[in-house]
Amino acid sequence: MKKSFLERLKSEILVFDGAMGTELPLNLGRCPEELNLTHPEVVAKVHSSYVEAGADVITTNTFGGNRLKLKESGLEDRLEEVNIKGIEIAKQVARGKAFVAASVGPTGKLLEPLGEFTFDQFYDVYREQIKVLAQAGADIIILETMIDIQEAKIALMAAKESCNLPVISSLTFTEEGRMVTGSDPLIATTILEPLRPDVLGANCSLGPKGLMKVMKKFASATDLPLIVEPNAGLPRMVQGKTVYPASPDYMARYASEFVNLGINVVGSCCGSGPEHTKAIISKVKSRKPKERKVISRMHLASRTKAVSFACPVGLPRRLVLRGLSFGDKKPIIVGERINPTGKKALQEELRNDRFSLVREEAKRQEEEGAKVLDINVIGEGIDEARALRKAILVIEKTTDLPISIDSPNSEAIEKALKVVGGKALINSVNGKEKSLKVILPLAKRFGAAIIGLTLDKEGIPRTVEKKLQIAKKIVKKAVEVGISKEDIFIDTLTLTVASQQEQALESLEALKLIKKELGVKTILGISNISFGLPNRPLLNATFYHLAKRYGLDAAIINPKDVKLKGSSLALKVLKGEDKGAKEYIKVQKGIIEEEIKPKEEADIRIQLKEAIIEGNKEDILRLTEEALKEELKPLKIMDEILTPAITLVGERYDEGIYFLPQLISSAEVMKLACERLNKEMKKETISTQGRIVMATVEGDIHDIGKNIVSLLLSNHGFRVIDLGKDVKKEKIIQETISQKADLIGLSALMTTTMGRMKEISDELKRRRINIPTLVGGAVVTSQYAKKIGATYAKDAIEAVRKAKELIKEKR
């Protein structure tokens, strides 16, 4: 094994081992990682079985070795011991026959705004574990089973900045082909590829058939080496034991198909063992990596949507980088209206830390055709760093459009980048040394694209040649830092024709030349062209349509202006034929730009409903108070406004319009309204859907899914008694009896704990306690639920629906 992992990837297919967790005996410790300390021989035996099977890489028993996960088992103070011992055990077994990949799993917590944890907290958690693993002698870091793209991004940043080892980023996907928080493989690639993982791919979650669709999308989206490690099918209960149905031969056949796609690294996950590894090796080890044809497409992305700046179909990436692509004919529209310059109402809101207008403008611009939103909050009396950060959190709950961060302030940009859920565009960097030195490293670190302005310490140049010179400098410095040319936009700067009329065409000529010479994307702030003139939208639209002919890739503009047709009168101004714009001013005099104002307030019922649907935490309590002042009865507000609104959110989630972030945001806003209304209803008889005892079963410390279900059930009128995680059978039954519960809700994420559900079901039957049981979790299936006499719910929305049905049947 003289060659390094990365060297071998170029010339051979590498095979990872199979499962660790499902191969370890049950009930030997508080968590699998504790066995590194208490039963190292058991862990070593699993590693040995894979080395004997011929695996090229074995994965350490450190998946849950971060501080947050270990704290759940009371082991956080032994973090170094657990992780160092995990590496030592694997290396003693490998003895140079296999690489040792240090396993790093998710925290099990949620980032803001979905949860309470920040970027810095997650970063520190990952850095701490990864530094220990690297120093202990790992050959590779594998970040695996990541369910949220933002957490995967933070983990990857921590890994690349904490060690010099190869880093694999492996994500997990649902049957719909998306991560739990809504990112598909294209979005994931868009966000992670600029951070330079050495290998990218997917593991766990699905069997090989399900992950085939996912890996096809990865294969067409990136030329990075790819990894796939599917489960051995979905688990079933057979004679009281958890069984994974996929045979070694079945897994091996799919492994061969994955290699046909151009996958470089194959392995297996939950439910697999050394026999699966041996079968996979027999099918793929003699194969050579297959070259994939990847069509170059530069993207920006939010957590749930990618926006493509596509090249002509069939044009290979190498040609694009030589500057032979002129991009799409129709420029991408970057909505410009979230900018307080000259907008008194927006300035006032931002000074008072309010974001209603920001939310409204984000939504309106999306409806009007914007594909990206430019966010600028600079103004007198506005705390820019705070306002920009909060505006992005609000916007990402309102729309799924990618973000352009419009600021020269490096502190504000960095704080903003820490909360952006996707791949952002930084607006902007320029040719000044200070700007290049500060902004480019930020863009590189966070994987953002950049806008380069053709200005330097001498100001804005007047000639095409000087603009090209500055653009070359920006591109050269960016590439040296490690930013791809595909992530660079150049803005040749639009100046108002009111004072610098001759510069309009000069700017467009420079744009065309830069595009041809440097092979980068181009962008213009279109609206600057009309400053100081009447009927600005008409002039903006005319300039936009003219710029398209010069190969413009993106336009920062009011989306409404794009829909206007250009005018010959405005064109004469732009071409310098109407000197001083005298004729234009004479005709268009008196037509001024519309100010952003709060929209006319709708009926309070509509406002309340919209607040729930949009996850508007900022205004929900104010609107609830207004509804009460209008003498609407609390029960009527609950039944006729709030419940239908949260039901609509659930329907949009089912239809794939909304994803987990929107679902959680709306549920939390609903909870705030309900808590306020409950104070008014103390004197009234509060009817409930029923009482439900919720718990994650004994031995299982995962509770994200259960918490979301509990929140949604509360929103829909259920009285939820949440017992937490790792709850013993007897406590669940005792609480069910003492609370006079109508339902029991059980969650399990691990195959090793799924059997607890059957134990509880059997005990209820033995005691003749006739209470319906609702079960769910990543490993639970409808077949298993039916077998144990329970009702299955695949997600939180279905759990609410099934709970209502069970209550109705019972009554």
Side-chain angles (χ1 to χ4, degrees), residues 164-197:
N164 294 317
L165 299 177
V167 179
I168 299 171
S169 182
S170 185
L171 317 174
T172 187
F173 293 84
T174 66
E175 290 180 357
E176 289 74 30
R178 289 182 178 262
M179 299 174 74
V180 170
T181 49
S183 307
D184 64 22
L186 174 59
I187 294 167
T189 300
T190 299
I191 295 168
L192 298 181
E193 189 174 40
L195 302 174
R196 306 293 171 87

Side-chain angles (χ1 to χ4, degrees), residues 6 79 200 421 469 721:
L6 295 179
L79 182 147
L200 182 62
Q469 182 183 334
I721 300 98

Side-chain angles (χ1 to χ4, degrees), residues 627-805:
L628 290 170
K629 285 178 183 176
E630 291 191 14
E631 298 185 356
L632 289 174
K633 295 288 185 182
L635 282 175
K636 190 170 185 178
I637 295 172
M638 189 87 77
D639 294 342
E640 296 183 11
I641 302 172
L642 302 186
T643 300
I646 199 69
T647 300
L648 178 60
V649 170
E651 290 170 357
R652 289 181 178 179
Y653 179 80
D654 275 345
E655 293 166 7
I657 299 171
Y658 277 7
F659 299 99
L660 190 62
Q662 292 95 332
L663 183 66
I664 292 177
S665 294
S666 292
E668 288 177 341
V669 170
M670 174 85 170
K671 183 180 179 182
L672 288 174
C674 290
E675 286 172 351
R676 174 65 187 92
L677 293 173
N678 283 339
K679 293 178 182 177
E680 299 296 320
M681 292 193 287
K682 287 180 180 178
K683 300 175 183 179
E684 304 178 33
T685 301
I686 303 174
S687 61
T688 64
Q689 289 279 359
R691 295 180 177 224
I692 179 166
V693 168
M694 293 289 297
T696 300
V697 298
E698 183 181 359
D700 203 317
I701 53 177
H702 303 88
D703 64 352
I704 290 179
K706 184 262 299 173
N707 292 344
I708 294 169
V709 171
S710 296
L711 182 60
L712 264 289
L713 286 167
S714 297
N715 289 167
H716 283 266
F718 285 88
R719 166 80 186 281
V720 178
I721 300 98
D722 190 342
L723 304 182
K725 58 197 174 190
D726 190 17
V727 186
K728 294 184 182 296
K729 171 180 66 179
E730 192 55 41
K731 183 176 181 180
I732 293 171
I733 293 174
Q734 284 177 356
E735 289 295 322
T736 299
I737 295 169
S738 65
Q739 295 286 346
K740 298 180 180 178
D742 300 293
L743 290 174
I744 298 173
L746 302 175
S747 174
L749 192 72
M750 302 161 62
T751 56
T752 52
T753 60
M754 191 168 66
R756 300 292 188 195
M757 292 176 168
K758 185 177 185 301
E759 293 174 12
I760 295 167
S761 181
D762 289 345
E763 184 64 16
L764 289 170
K765 291 172 187 172
R766 190 184 71 78
R767 298 192 193 185
R768 297 182 180 179
I769 300 173
N770 187 25
I771 295 177
T773 304
L774 191 64
V775 298
V779 296
V780 183
T781 64
S782 57
Q783 293 89 344
Y784 175 66
K786 186 176 181 180
K787 188 168 184 177
I788 67 172
T791 299
Y792 170 72
K794 68 176 182 178
D795 55 37
I797 296 300
E798 188 167 278
V800 171
R801 189 162 56 246
K802 292 288 181 71
K804 288 180 178 180
E805 291 171 3

Side-chain angles (χ1 to χ4, degrees), residues 280-330:
I280 290 169
I281 289 170
S282 70
K283 278 283 187 182
V284 305
K285 203 65 189 112
S286 61
R287 305 276 299 277
K288 297 293 181 183
K290 183 179 178 181
E291 186 176 348
R292 300 192 304 274
K293 184 180 180 182
V294 180
I295 304 302
S296 180
R297 293 173 181 270
M298 182 274 170
H299 294 86
L300 296 175
S302 65
R303 186 187 262 111
T304 56
K305 185 173 186 176
V307 172
S308 172
F309 295 79
C311 300
V313 175
L315 190 60
R317 178 173 292 195
R318 63 182 181 278
L319 295 183
V320 176
L321 295 181
R322 291 175 188 166
L324 300 183
S325 163
F326 278 80
D328 289 333
K329 291 180 180 179
K330 187 176 181 181

Side-chain angles (χ1 to χ4, degrees), residues 320-384:
V320 176
L321 295 181
R322 291 175 188 166
L324 300 183
S325 163
F326 278 80
D328 289 333
K329 291 180 180 179
K330 187 176 181 181
I332 294 294
I333 302 304
V334 180
E336 69 174 5
R337 296 207 306 261
I338 301 175
N339 185 327
T341 304
K343 299 164 186 171
K344 294 179 181 179
L346 183 55
Q347 290 172 14
E348 187 65 22
E349 278 213 347
L350 293 173
R351 275 194 288 268
N352 290 292
D353 205 31
R354 288 185 52 78
F355 296 86
S356 295
L357 281 176
V358 168
R359 183 181 290 105
E360 288 171 20
E361 278 305 312
K363 194 165 53 172
R364 284 176 187 167
Q365 289 186 98
E366 181 177 28
E367 291 168 354
E368 291 162 3
K371 301 301 180 185
V372 179
L373 292 176
D374 189 72
I375 315 301
N376 181 311
V377 295
I378 300 170
E380 186 179 350
I382 299 170
D383 182 339
E384 186 195 1

